[in-house]
Amino acid sequence: MENNRGARVCLFGGTFDPVHLGHLIIAQAVLENAGLDRMIFIPSARPPHKGDVVMFDARVRFDLLSRAVSDNPTFFVSDVEMRRSGLSYTIDTIRQVKAGLSPEDELFFLVGRDNLSEIETWREPRAILDECTLLVADRVCDLSRPVPDWVAERIQSVRVPLIEITSTDIRARIRDGRSIRYLVPEGVGEMIRELSTL
């Protein structure tokens, strides 16, 4: 009997400023624990909640991500937000990616549980839940405010390791000239060092 199941595709959006090993460990855990086929990393070009406060511009972050996932056949990087003008809204990205998938494919979107409490501030939050399944990386953390019922009943929690590596710390280390070894993939570290000498 022929199996007509489409691909289970997950979008992992973020600033990735820069990408680090924690991002990759969590993505791999979600891919395995949720039974996904592909994980697509999407660096935000102009994130509405971050303003212009980024260390690396969108093209550099895209290149760092591409280098970071180059040896994983289930990881991909998309420049969908970089090719679109204006602010990078999640709902626009989901709709654009979904339009390029087959009808049989199933689309997921990965968020951290700490970000879930902010979903009501996103553009068209109910439409996001209509267009895809929200996968929530379940880590031990305190929510600043509870998740509304209409969100809680339409998400799927996925257990991931607790990784205490942050892009904020890595940026501080880069500014201070401290080592980022073992915090980012080796190729990412090499590229950041090359950029620092320009």
Side-chain angles (χ1 to χ4, degrees):
M1 183 174 176
E2 186 177 349
N3 182 6
N4 291 323
R5 180 179 82 81
R8 290 166 60 86
V9 180
C10 185
L11 308 183
F12 185 3
T15 48
F16 301 110
D17 187 35
V19 61
H20 55 68
L21 290 175
H23 293 130
L24 304 179
I25 291 168
I26 288 170
Q28 186 64 35
V30 170
L31 185 119
E32 293 175 0
N33 294 340
L36 304 172
D37 298 301
R38 297 199 302 269
M39 181 70 70
I40 303 176
F41 294 77
I42 301 179
S44 298
R46 286 161 294 278
H49 292 85
K50 299 268 186 177
D52 295 324
V53 185
V54 290
M55 175 171 278
F56 300 104
D57 67 30
R59 175 50 62 184
V60 171
R61 288 183 279 118
F62 176 87
D63 291 343
L64 290 170
L65 264 169
S66 298
R67 186 174 290 199
V69 307
S70 62
D71 63 346
N72 188 326
T74 59
F75 283 3
F76 302 86
V77 185
S78 171
D79 65 353
V80 60
E81 293 192 353
M82 296 165 55
R83 290 184 280 108
R84 199 171 63 229
S85 61
L87 293 175
S88 304
Y89 291 110
T90 297
I91 185 59
D92 296 334
T93 299
I94 288 171
R95 285 172 173 155
Q96 192 171 347
V97 171
K98 192 172 183 179
L101 298 178
S102 299
E104 300 82 19
D105 294 339
E106 191 172 357
L107 186 62
F108 300 83
F109 190 84
L110 174 61
V111 298
R113 187 165 288 278
D114 48 346
N115 299 122
L116 190 62
S117 63
E118 302 171 358
I119 192 169
E120 289 182 292
T121 69
W122 297 5
R123 173 174 283 191
E124 299 184 57
R126 292 179 186 272
I128 291 173
L129 295 172
D130 290 337
E131 294 284 354
C132 66
T133 300
L134 217 58
L135 295 180
V136 181
D138 200 4
R139 298 170 289 183
V140 178
C141 66
D142 293 323
L143 296 181
S144 57
R145 57 194 176 102
V147 177
D149 291 341
W150 64 268
V151 175
E153 63 193 20
R154 300 175 67 186
I155 61 174
Q156 180 180 333
S157 293
V158 183
R159 179 66 66 182
V160 299
L162 179 61
I163 308 294
E164 296 189 19
I165 302 174
T166 68
S167 294
T168 301
D169 177 59
I170 292 170
R171 290 194 301 271
R173 287 174 170 273
I174 293 169
R175 283 192 294 266
D176 296 342
R178 291 182 288 153
S179 175
I180 58 173
R181 182 176 290 177
Y182 311 126
L183 299 175
V184 300
E186 186 175 348
V188 169
E190 289 174 358
M191 186 172 174
I192 288 174
R193 284 192 294 273
E194 291 168 7
L195 291 168
S196 299
T197 60
L198 295 178

